[in-house]
Amino acid sequence: MPNQESELTSSSPADVRAWLSSHHPKQLSMLDKFEIELRLGRLSTSSTATARHSSSASSLDPNNDSNSTKNYGSPHYLGRPSRSNRRLVTFRTVELLRSLIGSTKWRNGAQLMLLLKGLGRELHSSGGFREPAIGNVVRRVMSCVREEVASQSLIEEEEEKQVEALSRELSRMDTNPSTSSMNNSVSSSMNSVSRGKVVSFAAG
């Protein structure tokens, strides 16, 4: 049963959709529109979908000459997706993920990774398996998230080490008699200076 909690705890597409439906319906609507276009082949770069789309467009063109010579050297007839189509799919996928990531309320890197995994599986099952660019974009974004999380973890570990080292140094100073007496002398001197400033201020 899909998870209805406020926090996303699973990368299952059903759980991701339920989470979006409960907390981010606008983003779910964007995802649905993208998937509809994907299923209809409007975002497809495969030779079959491209040929089907071109054939449909040609049949609706009243000026189309069926006896005219076709350009069999074009990428469509050679079975290769055009570069412009690949760019379109990549651009649309990036825009979708940017909108979903930027508008949803995920708490940490782990939850963001669950969201991306779920979206990747959802898009794959909706026809993304025919478009390598979609999977490549999702994996690239996940890689960037991992790198950012790892970098942040290193910074936090370094800060913890510095705090621990400072704590050990302070403990050593407290247990060292000579250091303790020096601390007392420094504290007394600071108090004397402070009182002197107060007296001078009062006299003035």
Side-chain angles (χ1 to χ4, degrees), residues 2-161:
N3 188 359
Q4 299 290 341
E5 297 180 358
S6 59
E7 293 188 13
L8 183 63
T9 58
S10 169
S11 62
S12 166
D15 287 348
V16 170
R17 291 187 65 86
W19 183 74
L20 290 174
S21 177
S22 298
H23 306 287
H24 306 283
K26 183 178 180 180
Q27 282 65 43
L28 179 60
S29 177
M30 294 174 55
L31 177 62
D32 288 337
K33 290 179 181 179
F34 185 92
E35 291 180 350
I36 289 174
E37 292 188 80
L38 189 59
R39 290 190 178 100
L40 293 177
R42 295 174 183 173
L43 298 177
S44 180
T45 61
S46 64
S47 58
T48 303
T50 303
R52 182 170 63 249
H53 180 73
S54 299
S55 176
S56 176
S58 299
S59 63
L60 297 176
D61 185 1
N63 298 321
N64 179 51
D65 184 3
S66 58
N67 296 322
S68 62
T69 303
K70 295 182 174 62
N71 182 12
Y72 290 98
S74 67
H76 298 337
Y77 287 98
L78 292 176
R80 297 193 302 269
S82 69
R83 183 174 300 176
S84 60
N85 285 341
R86 285 196 299 266
R87 289 177 178 174
L88 173 63
V89 173
T90 300
F91 175 78
R92 291 290 303 278
T93 305
V94 170
E95 286 298 308
L96 174 68
L97 294 181
R98 178 183 290 131
S99 299
L100 293 176
I101 293 173
S103 303
T104 53
K105 297 180 180 179
W106 40 273
R107 295 181 179 274
N108 48 49
Q111 192 175 37
L112 178 55
M113 288 296 292
L114 290 176
L115 175 60
L116 288 171
K117 287 180 181 179
L119 291 174
R121 293 172 180 174
E122 174 78 8
L123 294 175
H124 181 83
S125 63
S126 299
F129 60 89
R130 293 190 295 267
E131 304 303 329
I134 294 177
N136 291 340
V137 170
V138 175
R139 284 188 291 271
R140 179 55 184 161
V141 173
M142 291 177 66
S143 176
C144 291
V145 173
R146 292 191 188 97
E147 291 175 1
E148 182 63 24
V149 170
S151 176
Q152 187 63 32
S153 297
L154 289 175
I155 294 175
E156 292 177 356
E157 290 178 2
E158 185 63 27
E159 290 177 349
E160 290 177 359
K161 289 179 180 179

